[in-house]
Amino acid sequence: MKWFTTYNNGSAIDLRKIPALTYAEFFEAMRERLANPACHVAHYFGVPVEETRLRVWAILLDDAEHTIDVASYDVDYYDEDLPSLTKEFPAMHPFERDMTERWGVRYDGMPWDKPLRAPSRSARRGGTIDEYPFYKMESASLHEVNVGPIHAGIIEPGAFRFICNGEKVLHLEISLGYQHRGAERQIETSESLLRQVLLAEGIAGDSAVTHTTALVRTIEKLAAFDSSKAGNLDVERTVALELERMAMHIADTGALCMDVGYQLGQVACEALRTLTINTTQLWCGNRFGKGLIRPFGTNFPLTDEMRQTILKNVAEIRRRYNEVRQDIKNTPSLLSRMEQCGLVSAQQMQRIGGVGQASRASGLARDIRVSHPWGVYTDRIAHQSIIKEQGDVMARLMMRCREVLQAADTIVALLTELDCSVATPAPQWDVKLQPYMFSTALVEGWRGECCHVAITDGEGRVVCYRVKDPSMHNWLALAIAVRSEGISDFPICNKSFNLSYCGHDL
Amino acid sequence: MLLNKLKVFKSHGSQYIPDLDAVQLPEIFRGRPELSECDEETARELEKMCPTKAIAASPFSLDMGRCLFCGECARRAPQAIRFTNDYRIGASRREDLIVTPATRSIPFAHDAVRKEIPAMFAHALKLRQVSAGGDASVEMELNATGNVNFDFGRYGVEFVASPRHADGVVITGPVSRNMAEALQVCYDAVPDPKVVIVAGSEAVSGSLYAESTEVDRSFFERHQPDLWLPGAPTHPMVFIEAVMNLIGRRRRGEQTKK
């Protein structure tokens, strides 16, 4: 047996039950599984076990079987003959780059052996983040355009290098790491669970509910806590998650309208996002839902009054947003900008391991709510993914539009009959976690699949914590989307993905 | 086609806030904390539990510049700490962010503001934002200050694309090591005289990342911020109210001129 199988709604795994393979066995096992289009890697990372040895863990998701499969192998810093998986499966590139950068493990034939985040203790010798080895094309008729790390707007930093032939983009390479602040290291060295939760809220502020839900689920599994029996806890967490999805999809709709010069759509969406996040604020005191997701319970159990307020506001947002959607769909000047622009095919998405709404807009049906359901998605909500085939900016926009309406419907379905007199427990901060365990939780946020992993030592302390934001997979999709487009279409391509810098850089 | 637009237009109605001075945030919003004297044991316990070391036991105080406004201390000891919905918490001096049991409002020290700031920027202040390890929530709130609801542009305060067009920089995030140089380059590119604003508790103190090896806050050894804005994130009203004070258009605590 090469893999240990578990489920998103399952429990933590005893470390000793996970098979330890040799790299050769692991390599073959991965090749075999990744040849199946239903499979992709959710995480792949190393943890030092001795002075020069690493235990490397891989988490593979099988969408058809709904399983999470975990395998591991040991590697010594001086081991040789580790053939690269990226060569055959480009989706593996961020993980192998991370292994090289963090631990100095080099994979033979790795075609894109470049820095990922440029941390202070990088195992790559020499070179600062500003000396990233960008891909070059030598030709007198080509020119390069460098953008960043600081961009023209209130957004996060990242360096973009375009190679253009006239106005046409031949190649875009994105160098990240500017936001690296040591989030994983801070989480795994924290003694306090509260501190870990606050760190999770700041992994990506626009996905605070998503990442915090992933962290508390990872921790709760380590204490064998069943959130489905904790009053309305699962329902409340899902409502918060869907409110976040609505808010961000509406924000991105507005941003896309702005970038094509459509002010009516922009301001209407700004106001609707305000109404959405103010609803969250009315519930928990913070517009981004910080403070709302807590381990083993909640500080803000839904009152009947709050339930009705959410239902009222969501209905209003849904109605008004749907008018914006109809308007966008019926405005030829918008369609001419967004249709057939920024194309990413289903095959490309599959190759690079794309996830979330961007993958679904390209016809690749990756959605954790369906493939690896948790909480209310296992029973109360029979979620059906929205899939679009076109893979262009318009498809990603319409995906957002439809998901806003769908999220509103999910909230209505969850809250309409909800009995708010049920007691939902308060958070707990001093729960003993099981020793020698491997715990992972997946959450489908508005960007896509978010994966957290924790490993405990003999005392039940979290000694390893790993985070994967969906942006890890999808940045490459943006680079592919702008190929052969005019460079002036970069902003709408970029906004149609709206990927996270801080979630990637950690 | 036009009919769809009219529908959107009609439903949108009028969204802007006519009087920003009159804005009240909901009771549940966690703004300025109020402290009450408590026994030393409780104070020690609160000091120990605070993940950002914002709370000191003796003398009992809470530093908003470190605080993420999670509110867990107020749940542990509601008799000692409660969070009010007061968003007038930006300060021109770092030490004014430290709340003691005597604090019932955050002072805005106009005499600590450099004279050229109100003299030159009272009617137009163009800012360049630099995110340096921020989590994007403060950035989104800064964006929101210019949106259809808050419309801070009505007072001539706006964000611009180039530091060459700017009168100052707004820094968010704990200042990641990888952004330290870019931040300095951006600051240098802003013409004198220039304003420095730090937005969000992470930018004010580093907060959770104060000890991280991936953070480089040496910028603040060379440059003194003119405005300190706590919060996680900084609410648009925190930013607007404090900037209005900074440029001398308002005086906190006094009746506003209409």
Side-chain angles (χ1 to χ4, degrees), chain A residues 137-150:
Chain A
M137 284 189 207
E138 299 283 334
S139 164
S141 62
L142 303 181
H143 68 280
E144 290 186 354
V145 179
N146 185 67
V147 181
I150 301 177

Side-chain angles (χ1 to χ4, degrees), chain A residues 150, chain B residues 114 130 163 168-169 171 181-192 194-196 219 222-224:
Chain A
I150 301 177
Chain B
R114 285 181 287 136
V130 180
V169 289
I171 302 163
E181 192 189 344
L183 170 61
Q184 184 64 49
V185 169
C186 178
Y187 174 86
D188 290 341
V190 176
D192 282 322
K194 49 192 159 191
V195 174
V196 177
F219 179 88
R222 299 185 296 273
H223 309 288
Q224 169 74 21

Side-chain angles (χ1 to χ4, degrees), chain A residues 27 180 245 355 374 392 464:
Chain A
F27 182 74
H180 180 62
R245 192 183 316 277
V355 296
W374 78 98
D392 54 9
C464 164

